[in-house]
Amino acid sequence: MVFLTFPSDQLLHYDASLESSSSKGEATERTIWYDAYVCYADSDLDFVRRLTAHLESPAIGFRLFLRDRDLLGGAWVYETFAQLIESQCRRVIVILSPEFLLSPDCKFQAQFATGLAIEKRSRVLIPVIYKQCSIPSIIRLLTKIDMTTSSSS
């Protein structure tokens, strides 16, 4: 297991044993595997870019899926989200903010990932509280990374 720190002493836990997981379905030469799918509201994109730069840095080496960067045009969005989350991403990082709560796309992605976690009996969601907000009931019982407390230290 590897523990990674993101600024402000917050921990992002990653189970390296997932690297050899074959439960993701049939791989092809063109299959791209991601360590995590990042679910976020459009207004939180600047934070997501900073987080991505940190986690994809050579020192850490994660590969993240960002819809604004990696989603190909011409696909039905919800079908693509579901397929990526289920078949090509080991985890789903959920960036929680008031704007996240207003987004139907974010709600769908978080609920889909929660359903997969229950079905597979594995920890799939990694909630990150970026801005103070009401925590959705499907996420409330999970441990969370709280970025809102970083300025108090």
Side-chain angles (χ1 to χ4, degrees):
M1 291 189 185
V2 179
F3 287 89
L4 306 170
T5 57
F6 187 69
S8 72
D9 298 9
Q10 298 295 320
L11 293 177
L12 181 60
H13 172 254
Y14 174 73
D15 186 349
S17 66
L18 291 173
E19 289 296 331
S20 61
S21 175
S22 61
S23 64
K24 292 292 180 184
E26 292 297 316
T28 67
E29 289 182 24
R30 297 174 49 120
T31 300
I32 299 174
W33 301 108
Y34 297 95
D35 294 299
Y37 179 99
V38 184
C39 179
Y40 56 94
D42 292 338
S43 61
D44 300 331
L45 186 56
D46 287 339
F47 170 76
V48 169
R49 286 182 177 149
R50 290 193 313 272
L51 177 67
T52 300
H54 176 72
L55 295 176
E56 290 185 334
S57 69
I60 298 171
F62 284 178
R63 175 180 241 162
L64 303 178
F65 181 90
L66 303 180
R67 62 179 154 76
D68 289 295
R69 178 188 71 186
D70 302 316
L71 187 63
L72 298 176
W76 187 59
V77 177
Y78 286 100
E79 180 180 347
T80 302
F81 290 158
Q83 182 179 9
L84 279 162
I85 291 169
E86 183 173 17
S87 303
Q88 293 174 250
C89 298
R90 293 177 177 92
R91 299 275 193 262
V92 176
I93 299 173
V94 177
I95 308 299
L96 296 168
S97 69
E99 297 80 12
F100 174 92
L101 299 175
L102 297 174
S103 168
D105 290 349
C106 292
K107 183 177 180 178
F108 169 80
Q109 293 164 37
Q111 288 178 337
F112 184 81
T114 302
L116 278 178
I118 293 168
E119 179 183 312
K120 294 181 177 185
R121 296 185 179 139
S122 68
R123 191 171 48 105
V124 174
L125 280 179
I126 301 173
V128 176
I129 304 171
Y130 170 50
K131 296 176 186 171
Q132 287 292 334
C133 63
S134 174
I135 305 298
S137 59
I138 61 169
I139 295 173
R140 198 170 294 138
L141 297 176
L142 299 174
T143 56
K144 293 162 269 314
I145 299 168
D146 191 349
M147 300 301 289
T148 63
T149 60
S150 63
S151 59
S152 62
S153 40

